[in-house]
Amino acid sequence: MNPIDVGILGATGMVGQQFIALLAKHPWFRVKWVGASQRSEGKDYRDACAWRLPAPLPDRTAALRVDAAVPDRAPQLVFSGLDSSVAGEIEQAFAQSGRIIVSNSRNYRMVKTVPLLIPEVNGDHLGLLDAQGTAQGWPGRIITNPNCAAIVLAMALAPLRQFGLSKATITTLQAISGAGYPGVASWDILANVIPHIGGGEEEKLETETRKILGRLRNGAIDDHSVVISATTTRVPVHNGHTGSISVALEQKPDPDAIIDAWNSFKGVPQLKELPSAPAQPIVYLHEPNRPQPALDAGRDGGMTVTIGRLRACPVLDFKFVALGHNTIRGAAGAAILNAELMKEQGLL
Ligand SMILES: NC(=O)c1ccc[n+]([C@@H]2O[C@H](COP(=O)([O-])OP(=O)(O)OC[C@H]3O[C@@H](n4cnc5c(N)ncnc54)[C@H](OP(=O)(O)O)[C@@H]3O)[C@@H](O)[C@H]2O)c1
């Protein structure tokens, strides 16, 4: 099969770099175009970008000339890792030019006809795309992946819906790569914890998760009824968002049934063996000191959510710790899996 040409908006940022690393040897997609701000426009990618990943910058991408963030020369399929302050307008212009945008930014996630997708959890939400063109007045399409902490929470909660999931609380410990580059000043984050993340992070966890876990009915999403309370903090960790989570489950299941629900959880990406699909999307570890970002964030290429420490909660019913790689499962890897699902369903 000939590879499909793809573009990356915001290619010079943390998420943009992760797109380039993950697509370097992708069997279906080939990076043909990169776009960023006026600061980068006209430079070779290698000069425009402060490459911060341990994987080498692929030569082919290093030599690409960074284009303006306008659709003229962009291919049909464009991944977006744009700063949210500009993503709204730019992604709209790309959709108006007929492009398919697979976005990481928050701007369109809660729009009624925009899928907020985790392929293992709610792949059927792609059904919203039928109505998107007319509702939004553009010939293209926008598909989004969740906030990087919401994706960890939603994956951990998805297998618990069968037990009557009614309430959840989460306190996160989020990595510095989640704030982009250069991100939080070293003076502020070293040996410290910052108990606030701007941009409505807590609200995103509380609202996006309900949409993700909701059901597609008559062309619209019925949000899941779970009530969520979130506190988000930034910690001096490179990669990996950790969440300390408590849940109320109406059916009061056995702990073994919960662990089994997590370990056996699978979806279309696993059944169809999509290129970026982890063999097991959720892995439960029994060791009392896991999961840890340094040891577990990179599990199965960073696409697996690792859970541990399931125990009784004296306030709700159960509590546990969940961890996911924020720039892979929480961003670029998630978007690539979304595009793979679209291709598998004949939507590209
Ligand atoms: N980091 C994570 O873990 C994570 C996870 C999920 C979602 N997200 C979301 O993904 C997006 C990117 O995050 P990030 O961490 O990669 O941020 P980042 O490192 O700050 O990168 C931002 C990118 O946006 C580009 N940009 C900024 N202003 C622009 C403009 N006026 N016109 C065109 N391009 C412009 C930058 O280009 P220049 O280099 O030219 O300035 C850069 O490529 C954000 O919306 C973020 O909320 C991030």
Side-chain angles (χ1 to χ4, degrees):
M1 164 193 141
N2 287 333
I4 298 171
D5 288 341
V6 304
I8 302 173
L9 272 168
T12 47
M14 283 310 302
V15 172
Q17 293 179 32
Q18 201 59 260
F19 272 123
I20 285 163
L22 294 173
L23 291 170
K25 293 187 180 143
H26 197 279
W28 297 354
F29 304 134
R30 177 177 56 184
V31 179
K32 199 63 185 198
W33 179 92
V34 287
S37 78
Q38 285 178 346
R39 289 178 289 275
S40 309
E41 184 186 340
K43 295 181 185 164
D44 284 353
Y45 183 81
R46 65 162 65 78
D47 300 323
C49 157
W51 186 258
R52 280 293 172 279
L53 298 182
L57 168 58
D59 290 340
R60 214 180 44 219
T61 313
L64 285 178
R65 183 67 51 91
V66 180
D67 202 353
V70 292
D72 308 1
R73 287 175 289 274
Q76 173 69 9
L77 175 61
V78 177
F79 293 105
S80 169
L82 282 172
D83 191 271
S84 57
S85 63
V86 296
E89 224 171 283
I90 296 174
E91 291 179 359
Q92 180 179 349
F94 274 67
Q96 252 144 13
S97 76
R99 303 302 195 281
I100 294 173
I101 315 298
V102 185
S103 173
N104 277 275
S105 297
R106 67 167 185 250
N107 309 62
Y108 292 100
R109 286 181 191 145
M110 297 307 289
V111 172
K112 283 190 178 358
T113 55
V114 172
L116 179 52
L117 214 59
I118 303 177
E120 287 92 343
V121 175
N122 63 355
D124 62 319
H125 289 198
L126 280 173
L128 291 175
L129 292 177
D130 294 342
Q132 192 187 108
T134 310
Q136 298 298 125
W138 54 48
R141 293 292 183 269
I142 296 181
I143 299 91
T144 59
N145 53 261
N147 162 274
C148 43
I151 206 162
V152 177
L153 178 64
M155 285 186 69
L157 296 186
L160 307 185
R161 288 176 292 189
Q162 62 186 295
F163 302 122
L165 172 70
S166 59
K167 292 180 193 162
T169 66
I170 177 167
T171 300
T172 66
L173 302 95
Q174 298 185 212
I176 52 173
S177 57
Y181 185 81
V184 190
S186 53
W187 180 260
D188 293 338
I189 194 67
L190 276 175
N192 200 13
V193 173
I194 299 172
H196 174 252
I197 297 179
E201 194 79 355
E202 291 170 353
E203 192 193 351
K204 288 183 216 166
L205 280 161
E206 292 169 1
T207 56
E208 290 182 15
T209 309
R210 290 164 49 111
K211 178 174 177 181
I212 297 160
L213 299 179
R215 288 232 177 114
L216 178 68
R217 279 205 193 101
N218 304 323
I221 305 298
D222 268 355
D223 285 358
H224 193 280
S225 57
V226 62
V227 180
I228 300 170
S229 172
T231 301
T232 55
T233 78
R234 186 79 65 200
V235 297
V237 161
H238 274 128
N239 294 303
H241 289 352
T242 304
S244 171
I245 300 169
S246 287
V247 289
L249 302 175
E250 281 156 9
Q251 292 171 21
K252 317 296 175 208
D254 204 62
D256 287 341
I258 295 176
I259 292 172
D260 188 50
W262 280 326
N263 280 331
S264 60
F265 182 70
K266 283 194 170 56
V268 177
Q270 286 69 39
L271 295 176
K272 299 285 180 186
E273 297 183 349
L274 298 182
S276 303
Q280 193 177 324
I282 300 173
V283 168
Y284 184 84
L285 298 181
H286 289 270
E287 294 88 334
N289 61 354
R290 303 288 278 278
Q292 297 179 20
L295 300 178
D296 300 310
R299 184 178 306 283
D300 215 343
M303 289 297 283
T304 296
V305 167
T306 310
I307 301 182
R309 303 219 58 220
L310 179 67
R311 59 221 193 275
C313 171
V315 180
L316 299 181
D317 294 312
F318 289 97
K319 53 185 173 177
F320 55 92
V321 175
L323 163 76
H325 196 300
N326 52 295
T327 63
I328 301 180
R329 182 48 105 155
I336 294 169
L337 192 60
N338 287 350
E340 291 170 1
L341 181 69
M342 291 180 76
K343 180 178 174 317
E344 194 276 328
Q345 298 198 352
L347 293 169
L348 292 185

